[in-house]
Amino acid sequence: YPPLPFSASDGAGEAADEPKSPDHPGQSDHPDQPKRQRSMPHLRAPSGDGSVLSADIPTEAFFDKHGGGRSSTVTHMHSNRSVYSTAVATRQSHQRAQARRALCSLWLATSTAFVALQRLDEAGGAVAEALAAWPESPEALTMRGQLAAAEAQHVTALNEFHAAVALEANNIRAAVALARVEHELGRRDVALGLLKNITRAHGWCDPEAWYWLGRLEHELALECDSDARSQMLRRALKYSSYALELESSQPVRPFSILRP
């Protein structure tokens, strides 16, 4: 890739010394301080202060006090699951998810073919089938937004692109399409900010993002005074030239397919 048209230092601090623990945990340096007691309630003596430990009390006493015996208490403890525990996906569920994604990809390829043939109604039906197979597909939502934008339904397209970016923040196609719809709605400042964020992050190698950034910079430069106009026009020319360089150096297949 050509160098970027614009130009992090790491800092590491030393960890603070941790206080040293005593040689015998549970004993204090002060002889007057009471000793630490064990936290298991079923091992404590039935005395009021609970300071004396007794080994004669059976373990069943703890469960009998809560009622229902050991089995019911353990069952109750297992019923209170942590919010961080998730079920492990089985091999069959993983295979079903892969099958749904594959079916969604086939319908999206069909939709792309219908768009090339200018058969937008059938393309919309294919996108609906793709979303039925995988409702959380960012690519399918982006395709549905592009079909809505082609029919001048800008608000609908805006919602679809927002949903796609929310599902996959690194989806360059959806992000650039979102910026284009913002431009169509007259919010050029918002579109310019989106494109700057895209080109300075995961979309640094996307020619379309750089092209639209240069185009918006040029449009805004024509509305400024002479002092700021020349600087903005130079930036627009730099962005457009970089887009052409990227387009001429793009590989046949994107490097993203190498991801596991």
Side-chain angles (χ1 to χ4, degrees), residues 178-188 190-191 212 215-216 219:
L178 177 61
R180 293 183 61 178
V181 172
E182 293 285 1
H183 174 262
E184 293 293 334
L185 295 175
R187 297 194 285 251
R188 289 184 295 183
V190 177
W212 280 98
R215 177 173 173 176
L216 286 177
E219 291 181 3

Side-chain angles (χ1 to χ4, degrees), residues 136-197:
E136 296 182 354
S137 170
E139 291 79 10
L141 291 172
T142 302
M143 178 64 75
R144 190 163 67 177
Q146 289 177 338
L147 292 177
E151 297 176 356
Q153 300 176 4
H154 299 303
V155 177
T156 303
L158 191 70
N159 294 332
E160 300 293 343
F161 295 142
H162 271 297
V165 173
L167 289 172
E168 186 181 2
N170 295 335
N171 194 315
I172 304 174
R173 184 181 176 190
V176 174
L178 177 61
R180 293 183 61 178
V181 172
E182 293 285 1
H183 174 262
E184 293 293 334
L185 295 175
R187 297 194 285 251
R188 289 184 295 183
D189 293 336
V190 177
L192 185 65
L194 288 172
L195 290 171
K196 285 183 177 180
N197 292 334

Side-chain angles (χ1 to χ4, degrees), residues 211-228:
Y211 165 76
W212 280 98
L213 179 60
R215 177 173 173 176
L216 286 177
E217 194 80 27
H218 182 267
E219 291 181 3
L220 293 175
L222 298 179
E223 299 177 359
C224 296
D225 53 9
S226 57
D227 296 334

Side-chain angles (χ1 to χ4, degrees), residues 12-174:
E14 297 182 356
D17 297 334
E18 298 182 356
K20 297 182 179 180
S21 59
D23 296 336
H24 301 284
Q27 294 185 0
S28 174
D29 296 337
H30 303 283
D32 298 334
Q33 184 175 356
K35 296 182 179 180
R36 295 175 56 186
Q37 304 296 334
R38 300 180 66 176
S39 59
M40 296 297 291
H42 62 280
L43 296 180
R44 293 175 185 259
S47 58
D49 55 356
S51 60
V52 181
L53 297 178
S54 175
D56 299 333
I57 300 177
T59 307
E60 299 296 336
F62 171 72
F63 297 101
D64 294 339
K65 185 177 69 173
H66 290 78
R70 178 194 293 266
S71 60
S72 62
T73 306
V74 173
T75 303
H76 176 70
M77 292 170 61
H78 282 285
S79 63
N80 297 329
R81 281 190 169 183
S82 172
V83 295
Y84 298 102
S85 63
T86 56
V88 179
T90 62
R91 179 178 299 180
Q92 291 182 354
S93 62
H94 180 66
Q95 292 176 351
R96 286 194 296 267
Q98 287 184 330
R100 289 195 299 268
R101 285 173 170 82
L103 181 60
C104 178
S105 300
L106 290 175
W107 280 113
L108 286 178
T110 305
S111 176
T112 304
F114 282 138
V115 170
L117 296 174
Q118 298 296 322
R119 297 160 63 176
L120 299 183
D121 292 337
E122 298 180 21
V127 172
E129 293 290 345
L131 286 171
W134 186 15
E136 296 182 354
S137 170
E139 291 79 10
L141 291 172
T142 302
M143 178 64 75
R144 190 163 67 177
Q146 289 177 338
L147 292 177
E151 297 176 356
Q153 300 176 4
H154 299 303
V155 177
T156 303
L158 191 70
N159 294 332
E160 300 293 343
F161 295 142
H162 271 297
V165 173
L167 289 172
E168 186 181 2
N170 295 335
N171 194 315
I172 304 174
R173 184 181 176 190

Side-chain angles (χ1 to χ4, degrees), residues 249-255 257:
S249 61
Q250 285 292 305
V252 178
R253 304 183 68 182
F255 290 110
I257 64 174

